[in-house]
């Protein structure tokens, strides 16, 4: 006769797409941007990424060991946080800052609130904001890309490490080539410069159904629309700064974005508005990370107001009207 | 072609290729059969026979006075050897009548030979000659229940509340659970019986329209039915997108008719009657021959089964006999399930009998058939996307664990139909449905307390 049969509740089949698998897909989607960062800023970008990743993973592991929690580093979410943190730093940032940033992201933002799922803001972005406040000089020391430097040595006249948004803020002028901005041949944080690489990652995420198109597309579209409405150049707003990276990889973070489709549409739309307002009227040239952090905080509220959507409701309210 | 569907749902690997090309073979029942006195939703039956009695095949052996109930019949001829409690495939134990098979299959005298000619004209003439109440009565006497899994007594559905006028009968041929192909084979092998049964059901409730809904993954059945429907102006075929849980009553209704059953309501409230496709052939046999529901198609499949098959099985045969009829197991199974893998019930033994609602029995070896550790919710929203009832499963599971009755009501916990889509999709492998079931019982208990 048979050994003990397992008796458990239905369903008896599960998807293979566990968190680990999804995070692996996010990491794969980030690889084009990693390659772009190495191409434009040299091998130092890679070292920065490795530092933050190692820092995030080690701190998470250590925390869980010390407090005897289940070890969940295998879910790869710390790796994603690490990569995104580095992607939001300039290549000139010292490696120790990567370590500090990783510690902040994991310990303060993630683990202190109970680990993955319970943090209310995106750890990588919160860490970036923290670094920016603590070491503003280091975090805004922009280096020109490898190609711009080469061209300068060859005798070209301009050499500037300023980011397009920085220049816009200072001078009110747009002095960049759209093609350079699209490919990533501009100054900025290492992971944000290449729109092309990010779009490749985005397509991969869509094909693998890790995320849906709604948040990134609505976010970017609303930035374009609001920028144009406020008399700015919409295309420039899209291609500059961290918008693309933020829209595809950070605004879509599962934990800190709303859950329902309706909630996500509201969220993405507000993100667009906030980003344009901060960029245009704020003291800082960039507004993506603060917009996302702000909206992260509002997310539980959005979830709460969009919870009612159950089947059978439409019918009832119609009947009630009659 | 644009397929009809609903919002939400999942796309599990359907594994139907294991059995959908295999014609149904007749299974010969062995020595002893076990007929549970409760095979349906509603009141259990009281036995009508005693130990030692001789019973005919098709003889009524259990009945209840309650309206929501269905009588049970012997599926072989032989002697009653025992009436005792036995493990039930629906969980727990139930009183069962054990019958020693004499291998004669002597039919009960009330059962007539099948006299109806299966062509559109004679079927229509026959249906027209009958009286609605007569059909309902025969359906009740034959113990017909829904055969898709829930096993709700059909005569109850055929007697809708007087303020509900049924205009359309919806025949459910979605068979959206992975692995199962028993309905698919029934559609291919006894289409005229199904059409006749659909007409009989419609006649019983005086509905003008019949829609037979089939999922797009059964192109051969769709083609056959569309061809046949040309002879029946009142019958249309609805092609559904292949998606789980497309065959769930409310989702089917939404997909095919765009109507939504109000929360807590019945299909009859929106003028519909929904029944499973093979139930129709049982209705035809019941009305034409007085043949009770004692036999059905069962898919025997799963990765542990050596030769997955569709079998025509007598009610009361044990699962073990069916696995044996499929050449046994390739490897010792770790889990046996009655029904589909999404909503089926795990069994603790293979000695349980087939009942009227047994659409399939599955045996699995893979460790993934049982849950791994559960993680914390990462709020990915995937469960929210797939929930066909448009609920917030993650919130429900959390509130269920905290037993917050007010919140649970606020989030409409009672509308969850336990389809399992949320648990299937959750990347953190949370046991969402399990928590929600607990939450529902907490809510029910508190309501009862409130009523007292
Ligand atoms: S089991 Fe309930 S909550 Fe989960 S998807 Fe199905 S209806 Fe929604
Ligand atoms: S699918 Fe699982 S992890 Fe995602 S929101 Fe639902 S319960 Fe949470």
């Amino acid at each position: 006769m048979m050994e003990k049969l397992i008796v458990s509740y239905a369903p008896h089949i599960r998807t293979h797409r566990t968190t680990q698998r999804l995070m692996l897909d996010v990491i794969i989607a980030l690889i084009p941007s990693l390659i772009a960062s190495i191409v434009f800023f040299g091998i130092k970008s890679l070292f920065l990424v490795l530092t933050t990743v190692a820092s995030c993973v080690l701190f998470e592991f250590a925390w869980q060991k010390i407090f005897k929690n289940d070890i969940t580093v295998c879910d790869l979410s710390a790796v994603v946080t690490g990569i995104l943190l580095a992607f939001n730093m300039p290549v000139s940032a010292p490696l120790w800052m990567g370590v500090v940033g990783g510690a902040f992201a994991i310990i303060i933002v993630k683990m202190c609130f109970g680990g993955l799922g319970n943090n209310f803001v995106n750890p990588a972005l919160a860490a970036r904001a923290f670094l920016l406040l603590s070491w503003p000089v280091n975090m805004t020391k922009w280096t020109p890309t490898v190609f711009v430097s080469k061209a300068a040595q060859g005798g070209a006249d301009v050499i500037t490490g300023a980011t397009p948004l920085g220049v816009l803020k200072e001078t009110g002028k747009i002095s960049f080539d759209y093609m350079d901005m699209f490919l990533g041949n501009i100054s900025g944080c290492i992971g944000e410069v290449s729109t092309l690489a990010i779009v490749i990652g985005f397509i991969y995420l869509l094909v693998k159904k890790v995320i849906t198109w709604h948040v990134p597309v609505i976010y970017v579209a609303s930035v374009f629309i609001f920028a144009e409405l406020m008399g700015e150049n919409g295309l420039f707003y899209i291609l500059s700064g961290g918008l693309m990276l933020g829209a595809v990889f950070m605004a879509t973070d599962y934990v800190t974005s709303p859950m329902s489709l309706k909630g996500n549409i509201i969220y993405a739309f507000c993100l667009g508005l906030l980003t344009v307002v901060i960029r245009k009227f704020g003291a800082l040239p960039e507004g993506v990370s603060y917009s996302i952090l702000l909206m992260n905080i509002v997310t539980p509220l959005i979830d709460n107001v969009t919870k009612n959507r159950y089947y059978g409701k439409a019918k009832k309210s119609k009947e009630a009207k009659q | 072609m644009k397929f009809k569907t609903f919002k939400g749902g999942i796309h599990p690997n359907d594994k139907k290729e294991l059995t959908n090309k295999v014609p149904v073979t007749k299974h010969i029942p062995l020595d002893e059969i076990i007929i549970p006195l409760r095979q349906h939703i509603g009141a259990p039956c009281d036995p009508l026979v005693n130990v030692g009695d001789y019973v005919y095949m098709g003889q009524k052996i259990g009945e209840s006075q309650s309206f929501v109930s269905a009588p049970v019949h012997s599926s072989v001829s032989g002697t009653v050897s025992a009436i005792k409690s036995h493990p039930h495939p629906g969980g727990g134990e139930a009183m069962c009548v054990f019958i020693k098979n004499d291998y004669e299959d002597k039919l009960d005298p009330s059962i007539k030979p099948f006299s109806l000619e299966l062509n559109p004209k004679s079927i229509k003439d026959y249906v027209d000659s009958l009286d609605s109440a007569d059909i309902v009565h025969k359906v009740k006497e034959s113990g017909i229940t829904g055969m898709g899994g829930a096993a709700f007594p059909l005569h109850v559905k055929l007697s809708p509340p007087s303020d509900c006028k049924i205009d359309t009968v919806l025949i459910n041929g979605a068979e959206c659970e992975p692995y199962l192909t028993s309905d698919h084979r029934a559609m291919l092998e006894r289409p005229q019986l199904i059409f006749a049964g659909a007409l009989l059901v419609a006649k019983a409730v005086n509905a003008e329209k019949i829609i037979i809904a089939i999922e797009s993954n059964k192109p051969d059945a769709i083609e056959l039915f569309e061809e046949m429907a040309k002879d029946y102006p009142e019958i249309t075929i609805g092609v559904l997108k292949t998606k789980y849980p497309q065959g769930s009553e409310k989702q089917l209704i939404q997909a095919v008719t765009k109507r939504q059953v109000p929360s807590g309501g019945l299909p009859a409230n929106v003028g519909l009657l929904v029944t499973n496709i093979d139930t129709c052939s049982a209705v035809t046999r019941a009305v034409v021959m007085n043949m009770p529901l004692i036999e059905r198609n069962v898919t025997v499949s799963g990765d542990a089964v050596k030769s997955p098959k569709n079998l025509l099985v007598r009610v009361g045969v044990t699962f073990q006999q069916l696995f044996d009829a499929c050449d046994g197991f390739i490897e010792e199974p770790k889990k046996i399930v009655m029904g589909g893998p999404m909503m089926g019930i795990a069994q603790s033994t293979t000695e349980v009998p087939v009942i009227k609602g047994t659409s399939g029995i599955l045996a699995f070896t893979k460790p993934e058939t049982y849950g791994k550790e559960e993680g914390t919710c990462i709020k990915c929203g995937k469960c929210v996307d797939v929930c066909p009832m448009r609920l917030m499963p993650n919130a429900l599971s959390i509130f269920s664990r905290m037993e917050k009755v007010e919140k649970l009501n606020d989030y409409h916990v009672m509308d969850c139909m336990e389809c399992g889509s949320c648990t299937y999709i959750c990347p953190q492998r949370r046991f969402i449905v399990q928590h929600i079931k607990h939450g529902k019982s907490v809510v029910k208990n508190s309501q009862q307390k409130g009523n007292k």
Side-chain angles (χ1 to χ4, degrees):
Chain A
M1 213 7 245
M2 230 154 288
E3 281 171 63
K4 262 201 108 82
L5 288 169
I6 291 156
V7 180
S8 62
Y9 285 107
H12 308 288
I13 47 173
R14 291 289 189 84
T15 174
H16 297 291
R17 314 226 359 109
T18 58
T19 307
Q20 185 188 33
R21 206 31 252 196
L22 293 170
M23 291 299 151
L24 187 65
D25 277 336
V26 175
I27 294 168
I28 293 171
L30 284 164
I31 286 176
S33 299
L34 179 63
I35 294 171
S37 72
I38 297 169
V39 169
F40 291 114
F41 298 107
I43 197 74
K44 226 196 133 222
S45 310
L46 181 63
F47 294 145
L48 187 60
V49 171
L50 291 178
T51 310
T52 51
V53 167
S55 160
C56 286
V57 172
L58 285 177
F59 280 114
E60 181 160 317
F61 183 74
W63 174 283
Q64 290 175 334
K65 262 263 147 21
I66 292 167
F67 291 97
K68 303 212 170 15
N69 296 348
D70 297 339
I71 305 289
T72 58
V73 277
C74 305
D75 69 20
L76 298 178
S77 62
V79 177
V80 172
T81 301
I83 299 177
L84 287 176
L85 173 61
F87 276 15
N88 277 294
M89 295 168 73
V91 69
S92 58
L95 293 184
W96 61 261
M97 268 176 61
V99 178
V100 174
F104 185 86
I106 294 299
I107 294 179
I108 311 280
V109 187
K110 189 174 173 187
M111 300 323 272
C112 276
F113 287 94
L116 183 67
N118 295 319
N119 52 295
F120 64 95
V121 290
N122 184 316
L125 278 182
R128 172 199 146 106
F130 165 76
L131 293 177
L132 197 60
L133 282 176
S134 314
W135 295 280
V137 180
N138 279 337
M139 282 298 283
T140 51
K141 205 161 102 215
W142 307 112
T143 320
T145 64
V146 175
F147 302 103
V148 174
S149 309
K150 276 224 186 90
Q153 277 161 8
D157 43 356
V158 272
I159 167 149
T160 169
T163 64
L165 280 172
V167 173
L168 180 73
K169 193 105 229 166
E170 294 279 301
T171 65
K173 276 203 218 81
I174 295 172
S175 52
F176 288 85
D177 178 37
Y178 286 131
M179 202 52 188
D180 276 345
M181 292 172 76
F182 179 69
L183 293 177
N185 192 19
I186 46 174
S187 305
C189 297
I190 62 169
E192 75 185 18
V193 289
S194 174
T195 301
L196 174 66
I198 295 167
V199 168
I200 294 172
F202 179 47
I203 292 169
Y204 179 81
L205 291 181
L206 288 184
V207 170
K208 287 286 184 170
K209 298 213 169 79
V210 177
I211 58 172
T212 58
W213 59 269
H214 302 89
V215 168
V217 171
I218 295 172
Y219 185 5
V220 171
S222 65
V223 164
F224 182 87
I225 292 166
F226 285 119
E228 290 285 337
L229 283 180
M230 294 186 200
E232 297 289 337
N233 180 330
L235 185 61
F236 178 80
Y237 258 51
I238 292 177
L239 293 176
S240 59
L243 177 66
M244 279 294 174
L245 183 68
V248 173
F249 290 101
M250 285 174 305
T252 54
D253 172 30
Y254 287 150
V255 181
T256 53
S257 62
M259 284 176 290
S260 65
L261 179 59
K262 215 202 274 168
N264 270 318
I265 292 172
I266 300 173
Y267 168 84
F269 191 76
C270 295
L271 274 176
L273 180 63
L274 268 177
T275 303
V276 175
V277 168
I278 297 179
R279 277 189 186 177
K280 188 161 164 65
F281 304 107
L284 294 164
E286 176 57 303
V288 171
S289 17
Y290 288 109
S291 308
I292 299 179
L293 284 174
L294 252 161
M295 288 311 293
N296 284 170
I297 296 168
V298 185
T299 290
L301 213 81
I302 298 179
D303 274 337
N304 204 26
V305 296
T306 51
K307 66 170 193 271
N308 265 332
R309 38 163 232 147
Y310 69 99
Y311 173 104
K313 182 183 65 167
K315 186 77 196 168
K316 254 194 191 164
S317 53
K318 241 189 248 155
E319 272 170 3
K321 264 184 223 149
Q322 281 163 6
Chain B
M1 186 192 297
K2 197 160 157 21
F3 299 140
K4 300 179 171 33
T5 193
F6 62 98
K7 274 196 192 137
I10 55 172
H11 300 272
N13 185 347
D14 78 4
K15 299 276 186 185
K16 292 192 191 272
E17 68 286 352
L18 289 171
T19 50
N20 63 5
K21 296 274 184 303
V22 193
V24 177
T25 37
K26 220 174 153 78
H27 174 258
I28 312 290
L30 296 182
D31 259 6
E32 191 174 54
I33 59 148
I34 307 165
I35 312 267
L37 288 165
R38 170 171 58 80
Q39 300 191 25
H40 46 264
I41 291 177
C45 297
D46 299 320
L48 299 174
V49 290
N50 292 310
V51 176
D53 285 0
Y54 184 82
V55 291
Y56 293 109
M57 174 175 170
Q59 181 180 335
K60 196 197 285 177
I61 56 172
E63 197 174 29
S64 158
Q65 293 311 312
S66 151
F67 179 63
V68 183
S69 185
V72 295
H73 302 78
S74 175
S75 59
V76 294
S77 58
T79 334
V80 177
S81 54
I83 300 175
K84 61 178 187 207
S85 187
H86 186 80
H88 190 276
E93 298 218 333
M95 287 308 282
C96 298
V97 178
F98 288 66
I99 297 164
K100 189 125 185 59
N101 188 0
D102 66 1
Y103 296 97
E104 306 248 338
D105 281 355
K106 263 196 227 142
L107 282 177
D108 191 83
S110 68
I111 297 172
K112 297 181 283 189
F114 194 87
S115 56
L116 178 64
E117 249 181 85
L118 288 175
N119 62 58
K121 172 137 187 2
S122 44
I123 291 178
K124 264 184 267 182
D125 290 345
Y126 178 70
V127 174
D128 286 342
S129 72
L130 294 173
D131 174 56
S132 303
D134 210 33
I135 299 174
V136 179
H137 177 73
K138 285 196 170 174
V139 163
K140 178 164 195 255
E141 282 304 299
S142 308
I144 295 178
T145 64
M147 289 161 74
F152 191 76
L154 184 63
H155 68 269
V156 182
K157 282 193 194 174
L158 294 182
S159 326
S162 53
D163 57 332
C164 301
K165 161 84 186 96
I166 307 256
D167 56 62
T168 306
V169 169
L170 199 53
I171 307 293
N172 185 354
E175 199 165 53
C176 59
E177 279 264 15
Y179 290 94
L180 303 185
T181 57
S182 50
D183 282 348
H184 184 184
R185 293 311 307 178
M187 286 187 247
L188 294 177
E189 294 173 26
R190 40 176 178 266
Q192 294 288 6
L193 276 188
I194 291 173
F195 273 64
L199 290 175
L200 287 167
V201 170
K203 170 88 190 189
V205 293
N206 292 314
E208 303 84 62
K209 260 182 75 182
I210 299 169
I211 304 173
I212 303 181
I214 310 173
E215 260 191 10
S216 62
N217 61 359
K218 300 179 245 306
D220 43 359
I222 293 169
E223 202 183 315
L224 174 68
F225 272 41
E226 277 181 340
E227 189 54 41
M228 282 176 53
K230 288 181 185 151
D231 294 326
Y232 299 89
E234 57 277 72
I235 299 184
T236 44
I237 309 299
V239 182
L240 304 163
K241 193 169 162 187
T242 301
K243 182 160 85 170
Y244 178 87
Q246 186 66 73
S248 147
E249 204 164 73
K250 289 182 175 178
Q251 277 54 47
L252 189 74
I253 289 174
Q254 185 182 23
V256 177
T257 66
K258 301 271 173 287
R259 302 180 200 177
Q260 283 199 0
V261 180
S263 172
L266 291 170
N269 294 132
V270 288
L272 294 170
L273 183 151
V274 184
T275 190
N276 160 273
I277 196 138
D278 206 19
T279 311
C280 294
S281 26
V283 169
T284 309
R285 282 199 217 96
V287 176
V288 178
M289 329 165 51
N290 292 331
M291 177 58 104
L293 178 51
I294 53 170
E295 203 173 40
R296 64 159 300 146
N297 276 7
V298 177
T299 301
V300 185
S301 189
D303 66 344
V305 177
K306 198 174 263 168
S307 336
K309 272 182 199 162
N310 278 300
L311 297 171
L312 182 62
V313 180
R314 302 276 174 87
V315 168
V317 168
T318 61
F319 286 15
Q320 187 60 50
Q321 287 183 36
L322 299 187
F323 287 126
D324 291 343
C326 293
D327 307 328
F329 299 119
I330 301 170
E331 199 183 308
E332 194 86 326
K334 299 241 166 53
K335 192 182 233 181
I336 308 275
V337 172
M338 176 179 83
M342 289 302 297
M343 287 185 86
I345 302 166
Q347 305 294 322
S348 55
T349 160
T350 50
E351 291 307 316
V352 288
V354 166
I355 56 175
K356 293 172 192 171
T358 308
S359 45
I361 60 175
L362 308 173
F364 298 109
T365 59
K366 292 270 167 55
E368 78 206 19
T369 60
Y370 40 99
K372 286 192 195 138
E373 286 284 296
E374 136 173 287
T376 50
C377 172
I378 56 167
K379 308 195 176 77
C380 67
K382 290 193 182 286
C383 55
V384 180
D385 285 345
V386 300
C387 177
M389 294 307 292
R390 317 314 290 153
L391 301 167
M392 298 282 235
N394 53 342
L396 285 174
S397 83
I398 291 166
F399 293 136
S400 292
R401 297 197 80 178
M402 299 193 294
E403 308 197 343
K404 294 219 160 149
V405 175
E406 207 168 296
K407 281 279 183 196
L408 284 171
N409 282 325
D410 203 23
Y411 281 78
H412 307 284
V413 72
M414 293 322 246
D415 282 332
C416 167
M417 54 166 178
E418 300 173 16
C419 69
S421 302
C422 48
T423 308
Y424 173 86
I425 206 77
C426 178
Q428 287 289 80
R429 297 219 179 273
R430 290 175 58 73
F431 305 125
I432 307 173
V433 192
Q434 202 174 322
H435 299 318
I436 295 181
K437 275 187 188 163
H438 174 68
K440 279 177 156 182
S441 64
V442 171
V443 169
K444 269 189 214 142
N445 284 343
S446 79
Q447 276 166 356
Q448 269 160 14
K449 260 186 225 146
N451 287 342
K452 264 177 206 163

